Amino acid sequence: RAKDLDSFTEKCARKGYLYEGGVFANMTDLSAARVVLQTMSQVTRFCRFIEETFVVDWANSEDAGVRLGATEFGYRSHHYVVSLKPGVNSILGVPVDADGLIGIKAEIQVRTLAQHAVADTLHDRMYKSTVKPLPRHTREQARIASILENSDRILDAFVAEYDEFALQQSIFLTTEEIDGELAVLDAVGADIVDPYSAVPMCLKRAG
């Protein structure tokens, strides 16, 4: 989404000192995207894609979970402030005009479904409101966040174990069944041009 005019003017008024050198050069969220994925492993892979594809403004980027102490639970999400690499004319097959957008930055948030549940349902309601939460509200929010964080870890471990199990089962296919599986994978993967999208298909075919 693009930043709407009300949000743009409010931020300029509230943090005008940040934009003395030029609003468009210094405002890092004129455009923003949020990517919600199923597992932590997918988040890790997508974060690697962002770091390889864009110029990352590390000074304004953060892993929100790092702010939490060893015994704290709460908002977790990867926030990247990025700009296009000079000379780039397409990303994932989508045309872009990198040279026409030099210096313009955007924000990309990456999180799991469980992290999104905390952020969208609890964090914004409690900390982006004029109402000050009571200590019991803060404690309950942390308890819910801890449950969802643990769910993330359990789900990630289960998906990895099950995918390994499914891969091992392919060893027991007959030659005819293997040929059939390969034919299906080849048909499904024929139109995949993005190397990141092709990785799961390649792993299945290798198995």
Side-chain angles (χ1 to χ4, degrees), residues 72-151:
E72 295 178 317
F73 297 92
Y75 178 75
R76 292 160 57 236
S77 181
H78 295 268
H79 291 202
Y80 286 97
V81 173
V82 304
S83 55
L84 295 170
K85 291 183 177 180
V88 171
N89 53 31
S90 71
I91 296 176
L92 299 179
V94 179
V96 297
D97 178 17
D99 293 336
L101 294 169
I102 291 177
I104 303 298
K105 297 178 180 179
E107 181 180 355
I108 304 176
Q109 297 179 2
V110 189
R111 58 179 66 147
T112 64
L113 283 164
Q115 291 167 354
H116 184 62
V118 173
D120 196 48
T121 308
L122 301 177
H123 184 268
D124 290 356
R125 179 175 273 102
M126 291 182 65
Y127 300 109
K128 292 187 178 181
S129 165
T130 56
V131 178
K132 183 178 175 62
L134 297 173
R136 66 181 177 86
H137 295 143
T138 303
R139 179 176 175 80
E140 186 67 6
Q141 184 261 350
R143 188 180 74 84
I144 295 169
S146 72
I147 293 170
L148 290 174
E149 182 175 328
N150 193 46
S151 298

Side-chain angles (χ1 to χ4, degrees), residues 23-195:
V23 171
F24 293 105
N26 295 317
M27 189 172 287
T28 59
D29 60 347
L30 285 171
S31 177
R34 177 176 297 132
V35 181
V36 181
L37 298 160
Q38 293 174 326
T39 66
M40 293 189 298
S41 296
Q42 291 175 347
V43 166
T44 298
R45 292 198 298 272
F46 196 84
C47 287
R48 186 167 65 246
F49 163 75
I50 290 174
E51 293 168 15
E52 292 174 353
T53 305
F54 298 94
V55 177
V56 179
D57 177 356
W58 291 109
N60 290 300
S61 301
E62 71 166 341
D63 176 355
V66 171
R67 291 179 300 182
L68 298 172
T71 59
E72 295 178 317
F73 297 92
Y75 178 75
R76 292 160 57 236
S77 181
H78 295 268
H79 291 202
Y80 286 97
V81 173
V82 304
S83 55
L84 295 170
K85 291 183 177 180
V88 171
N89 53 31
S90 71
I91 296 176
L92 299 179
V94 179
V96 297
D97 178 17
D99 293 336
L101 294 169
I102 291 177
I104 303 298
K105 297 178 180 179
E107 181 180 355
I108 304 176
Q109 297 179 2
V110 189
R111 58 179 66 147
T112 64
L113 283 164
Q115 291 167 354
H116 184 62
V118 173
D120 196 48
T121 308
L122 301 177
H123 184 268
D124 290 356
R125 179 175 273 102
M126 291 182 65
Y127 300 109
K128 292 187 178 181
S129 165
T130 56
V131 178
K132 183 178 175 62
L134 297 173
R136 66 181 177 86
H137 295 143
T138 303
R139 179 176 175 80
E140 186 67 6
Q141 184 261 350
R143 188 180 74 84
I144 295 169
S146 72
I147 293 170
L148 290 174
E149 182 175 328
N150 193 46
S151 298
D152 251 347
R153 296 183 184 281
I154 294 171
L155 178 63
D156 208 54
F158 174 79
V159 168
E161 189 276 333
Y162 190 84
D163 286 350
E164 178 67 20
F165 165 76
L167 190 62
Q168 291 174 359
Q169 295 309 297
S170 65
I171 296 172
F172 303 103
L173 297 176
T174 66
T175 301
E176 291 76 16
E177 289 171 332
I178 290 174
D179 288 340
E181 289 290 327
L182 290 174
V184 170
L185 291 174
D186 287 343
V188 173
D191 296 324
I192 297 177
V193 294
D194 169 45

